[in-house]
Amino acid sequence: MSNLGRREFLRIAGVAAAGAAAVRYAPGAPVLAQTPLTLRIMWWGSKNRHDRTIKVLEMYQAAHPGIKFTYEFTGFNDYWTRLATQAAGGNLPDIIQQDYARLVEWEGNRLMVPLDDFVKDGTIDLSRVPKVSIDGGRVNGKLYAINLGNNSQSILLDTDAFKRAGVPLPDQKWTWQDFEQIALAFRQKLGIFGAGYEFSDQQVWKSLYIARGQWVFSRDGRSLAVTDDGPFVEHLKMLLRMQKAEAIPSLQQEISEYHSNIEAQPIVQGKAAMSYQWSNQAVAEAAAAGKGRNYKLVHLPRPKGGKPSNYLKPSQFFSITSHSKHPKEAAAVIDYFTNSIEANRVLLAERGVPIAPKIQEALKPLLQPVELETIRYVARVQTDSSPLPPPDPEAFAAFQNNVFNPLVIGPVLLGKISPEEGAKVLRVEGNRVLAQKS
Amino acid sequence: MITNQFRTARPETGRRERRRVRLGEHHLAGYLFIAPWLIGFFAFTFIPIAASLVLAFTNYNILSPLPHWIGVRNFERMFSHDPRYWVSVRQTFYFAFTSVPLKLAFALALAMLMTAPRRLVGVYRAAYYLPSIVGANVAVAVMWRQIFGTDGVVNAVLAAAGLPAHTSWLGNPATAVWTVIALAVWEFGSPMLIFLAGLKQIPAELYEAAAIDGAGVLARFTRVTFPLLTPIIFFNFVVQMIFGFTVFTSAFIISNGTGSPLDTLLFYPLYLYQKGFRDFEMGYAAAMAWVLLVVVALLTALIFKSSRYWVFYAQEEA
C-alpha cells in the first residue's frame, strides 16, 4: 500500500513538474513574425511506410520553417476507429490518408473540403497527370482526394520456386483452372502450398463478377445486384478442393497462424509459391522475405473466356478535412507528396505507383527489382483491365464483417455448410444488412 | 454508565459541527480535496453513462454530427433481427459458466495446498498469484496465441508425448473457446488469495474434533472446510461471474478482433466493441451495453437470492 502510494505520488509529482516546465517555457519563447503553424497529419500502414513518411515530413519541415507537423499513424483497422472518434470530437487532423471505400461516406458527412480550387490555383499541380488517375478521388463531380498511387490486385509469383518445380510461369490471361492446376503441382512436386491465404477475400468475390462485366452491388448500394450464385459457388468449391489437397492452407490454419503481419505469410516463409495482394503490398512482402529471392507479378486469374478480373484502383488518397484551419498550407503538403522528386526518392512508390509521370520516370533508376516490377505490372494492367467499379456502398464494412466473413466464408470453409447454402446466406443476410444502413 | 456519558457528550459535538457548516470554513478544504474525484466521476463516469443511456435509443454513426432518435428499434433489432447477437450471448454464457467454476475449483485446490506449512510457501503463493497481476492484458493474450499456435508449446509437448499434435487449437471451432477458458482459469490468483484468507479463519479445533470422530480427508472437506468456506465461495463466485461476463481482451487478441473461428470467440463485449468501434453503430452498441448491465445485475441478484440456501454464516448459529 505504501509502495503504491509512493508510486502514485511520484507520478503526480512528475506531471506537476512537466506542467510547471511548460508554463515556464511558453511565455519565454520568442514570438517570431511567423510562428510556425502546426499541421496535423495521420495515415495507416506498415512500419516501412511510417519511417518513410516521417522522413518526408521532416524534409518538408526543414525546407519550410513556417510549418510544423504533428503526426499519428496506426494499422488499417485502428485507423478508422481513431478517426471516427476524432470526427465526433470535432478535432480531425488537417490531412488524412483516405480510402476509396470510405470516400462516399465521408463526403456524405461533409468531413472533407473540395480541392478543386487548390488545383486551379496551382497549389496542387496535377498538370500532365492522366485523368484516370485523378477521377477516383471525385465524389459528385468534386475532387475530395488526391490519389497517392495506383494499385491493382495481383498474384506474386516466387519465380525460384517455379524453376525448382519445373512449372512454367503463367501468363496474364490465365484462368482459375490454371491457378488450381499450378497450385496442386507445387504440393505434388515440392511439398509446399501452391498459394497462401486470402483467396476467400471479398475482393476476390467482387472480381469474380467484374470479370463477367457485373458490379456486385446495386446503384444505391442498398442491395446485391448479382443474382447468379454460380460463379461464387464454383469458386468456393475450388477452394474446398484446394484446401483438401493442401494446395492452399486451410481456414483453420489461416486463423491460427495469420496475425495480419506480413512475416506470417506463407510465401514470405517459403511455404508457398504464390500469394494474393494489392500490387503495392508486394514490396513489403518481398522485403519481409529477404534478399536473394526473385518475384514476378501477374494478373488475378479470370474465368475461362472472361474479361480481366483486374482493375486499376487508387491505392489510397490524401484528403483535407473540414476541421482544418489551414487548408491551403495542407494542400501544399499534398503537392509535395505528389510532385516532389526528392520526397518520392524517400517514399519509393510504397503507397502505389505515383500518379505524376515525371515522378515515375525519376524513380526508375532508384528502385529495387520488386518495386520496379510493381511499376511495370501496373502498366501491364493499364492495358488489360476492367473499368474501375463504383466505390463500395456505405454498409460495405458491416456487410463484410457481419455477413461475408462470419456467416459465409467461415462456415463454408470449415465444412459446416455447403457452398450453395453459403451463397444463399450471402444473398439473404447480405441484402438485409445492406438495406439496414440509414 | 459509559454509554450514558457518550449520550450526553454527543449533542454538544453535533451542535458545534452544525455551526461550522453554517460558517462554511474547514468544509471547503474537504470539498477541495474531493474535487478531483468528483470532477473525474462526473466527467468520465456519470455523464458518459447517462449519455450512453440516451444513445441506446438513437441511431448514431459517430461520423455524422448528431445521433437521431429511433426509440426502441435498437432493442428490437437485437432481439429479433441479429443472428450474431444471439451467438454472442450463447458464447458468453458458455464461457462464464465453464470458466468460473473451473477457476474457483482450481483456486480452492491450490489455496488448500498453500495452507500447509511448507518451506518456501511464500514463494509458491507469490508464484501462483503472479498470473493474476500480469494476466488479462494484451501481452499475455499474444503469448497465449503463441502457446496454442500450430508450432506452439502445447503441440510440441503433445508431440513429445507421442500424442497426436493437433494442427490448430485456435482455428478449430471445437477447441478455440477452450484456449480462452484456459487463459481465464490460469488467472486464478486473486480468488486463491481470498480462499487462503478464508481457510485461515477456520478454527483448527474443528479439524481436530473431526479427526477424533474418525472423519477422513474427504469428510473433513465436505463437512468442515466447505460449509465454513461458503461465504468466501459466494463472494468469489459473484466477483468472478461479473468478470466472466465482461471478458474482452483475451478474445479480442486471440481472434484478431474477429471472434473467429465460426464466431466461437464472439463474446458479448467483443461484439459490442465491433458494433461500436468497427461498424460505428454507437447507438446499437450502447443499447447492447445496457442489456449486458441488466443481465449481469439480474444474475447477481439471483446468486444473492440463492445464497440463503447454500451459504452458511457461523454467526447464525451462535
Side-chain angles (χ1 to χ4, degrees), chain A residues 77-78 80-81 83-85 87-88 102 105-106 109 111 251-260 271 394 397-398 401-403 406-407 410-412 414 416 429 432 436-438, chain B residues 59-65 68 77 81-84 145-146 148-151 167-173 252 254 256 260-263 271 273-275 277-282:
Chain A
N77 290 326
D78 302 332
W80 297 105
T81 306
L83 269 189
T85 36
R102 309 262 174 171
E105 188 183 17
W106 276 64
N109 287 301
L111 292 168
L251 184 63
Q252 278 203 19
Q253 283 167 312
E254 172 173 347
I255 290 168
S256 65
E257 295 311 304
Y258 183 54
H259 309 211
S260 72
K271 290 183 189 164
E394 230 182 293
N401 293 323
N402 295 311
V403 180
L407 300 184
V412 170
L414 290 168
K416 297 284 167 191
E429 291 298 322
R432 177 143 79 198
Q436 236 163 40
K437 197 85 176 186
S438 56
Chain B
N59 188 349
Y60 182 32
N61 142 11
I62 21 182
L63 286 180
S64 59
H68 81 251
R77 178 175 153 205
H81 306 299
D82 187 350
R84 294 189 82 210
R145 256 199 90 102
Q146 308 282 341
F148 283 97
T150 312
D151 305 322
T167 45
S168 49
W169 297 92
L170 303 168
N172 186 337
F252 181 80
I254 287 174
N256 246 325
S260 56
L262 286 187
D263 284 347
Y271 189 47
Y273 171 86
Q274 287 189 353
K275 281 287 146 197
F277 292 98
R278 194 191 61 191
D279 301 347
F280 300 136
E281 298 183 36
M282 271 301 160

Side-chain angles (χ1 to χ4, degrees), chain B residues 225-308:
Chain B
T225 313
F226 193 84
L228 287 176
L229 212 55
T230 45
I232 312 284
I233 294 173
F234 169 63
F235 172 80
N236 270 337
F237 187 53
V238 171
V239 171
Q240 294 303 325
M241 210 55 167
I242 294 171
F243 278 136
F245 273 92
T246 49
V247 58
F248 174 75
T249 319
S250 49
F252 181 80
I253 300 295
I254 287 174
S255 75
N256 246 325
T258 60
S260 56
L262 286 187
D263 284 347
T264 47
L265 296 188
L266 189 73
F267 298 140
Y268 199 98
L270 176 55
Y271 189 47
L272 194 159
Y273 171 86
Q274 287 189 353
K275 281 287 146 197
F277 292 98
R278 194 191 61 191
D279 301 347
F280 300 136
E281 298 183 36
M282 271 301 160
Y284 192 65
M288 279 185 71
W290 278 89
V291 172
L292 177 65
L293 179 81
V294 170
V295 168
V296 170
L298 281 179
L299 257 169
T300 310
L302 210 71
I303 300 172
F304 265 90
K305 273 259 187 253
S306 79
S307 73
R308 46 191 278 228

Side-chain angles (χ1 to χ4, degrees), chain B residues 140-193:
Chain B
V140 170
V142 168
M143 182 190 79
W144 220 252
R145 256 199 90 102
Q146 308 282 341
I147 290 176
F148 283 97
T150 312
D151 305 322
V153 178
V154 173
N155 277 337
V157 170
L158 284 178
L163 292 163
H166 254 277
T167 45
S168 49
W169 297 92
L170 303 168
N172 186 337
T175 54
V177 70
W178 284 97
T179 65
V180 185
I181 291 172
L183 178 53
V185 172
W186 180 69
E187 293 159 3
F188 61 84
S190 46
M192 180 193 76
L193 276 195

